[in-house]
Amino acid sequence: MPINPCTLCNANCCKTYTITVTPQDIIRISNATGKKPEEFAVLHEAKLLSYDPDLVLTTLDGYGYYLLGIKSHPCIFLEKSNKCSVHSSAPLSCKRYPFAISGVLNTRFCPSLSKFLFRLKCPDIDDVQLKKEISDYKEIVRTWNYKPGKKEEVLGFVLSIH
């Protein structure tokens, strides 16, 4: 059995990145953990240098531009042992990391041996399911943004549409 490159890491990606999610990710995690979505899902202000503008939720109050994500820095599901407590139901973006949807490898937070091993393996999931979930989520975002409401209404709306 090949070595999982992530086992050689100190989880810098889970400690550094804002982990964005889809409604499907939230439902999967909620079902697996028994936690309510509001216990782990949040709206992060969309102040990143690079993100897909079709995933940005607008609101009528406050800052106004948000990305749906996991409570992070570090991720709420990262254990002290640097293992993911929801690995089997983790967001698809986490399962796909460090591969982008385009297939580009982003290992800037990975230790050298992990970087090398990732170059030898494929993503744990293919991009078909991830692209489908993102496409579905973009439609939900378009629906919300057509007639946006208040920030505290977003999560309920996003999950009710799914």
Side-chain angles (χ1 to χ4, degrees):
M1 179 178 211
I3 294 174
N4 178 348
C6 291
T7 61
L8 305 170
C9 182
N10 63 0
N12 279 334
C13 54
C14 303
K15 295 173 184 173
T16 306
Y17 283 126
T18 296
I19 301 167
T20 57
V21 294
T22 66
Q24 298 92 323
D25 289 329
I26 293 173
I27 291 166
R28 216 175 12 258
I29 293 168
S30 183
N31 289 339
T33 63
K35 290 181 180 279
K36 294 178 182 177
E38 54 275 4
E39 293 180 62
F40 61 88
V42 296
L43 293 174
H44 294 281
E45 288 185 2
K47 291 183 177 180
L48 306 173
L49 290 175
S50 177
Y51 57 82
D52 186 337
D54 293 334
L55 295 175
V56 175
L57 295 148
T58 59
T59 63
L60 299 175
D61 55 342
Y63 175 72
Y65 302 99
Y66 298 94
L67 295 169
L68 186 59
I70 296 290
K71 290 182 181 178
S72 49
H73 300 102
C75 175
I76 191 171
F77 297 113
L78 184 64
E79 298 174 339
K80 289 182 181 177
S81 64
N82 287 330
K83 302 285 186 232
C84 177
S85 66
V86 295
H87 181 72
S88 62
S89 58
L92 293 181
S93 59
C94 294
K95 289 183 176 185
R96 181 132 174 113
Y97 186 80
F99 296 91
I101 294 172
S102 64
V104 172
L105 192 57
N106 174 9
T107 57
R108 77 174 177 199
F109 290 119
C110 300
S112 296
L113 184 54
S114 292
K115 287 179 185 183
F116 173 76
L117 292 172
F118 273 122
R119 293 187 192 292
L120 300 177
K121 75 181 277 293
C122 296
D124 290 341
I125 61 168
D126 66 23
D127 61 354
V128 174
Q129 183 181 3
L130 181 59
K131 284 182 179 180
K132 169 82 171 102
E133 285 194 18
I134 290 172
S135 175
D136 291 348
Y137 181 43
K138 284 181 179 183
E139 186 57 38
I140 293 169
V141 170
R142 272 191 292 280
T143 302
W144 169 266
N145 287 345
Y146 180 73
K147 190 176 178 186
K150 295 181 180 179
K151 180 181 175 185
E152 60 269 6
E153 299 168 336
V154 174
L155 187 58
F157 175 84
V158 165
L159 295 176
S160 72
I161 293 293
H162 180 269

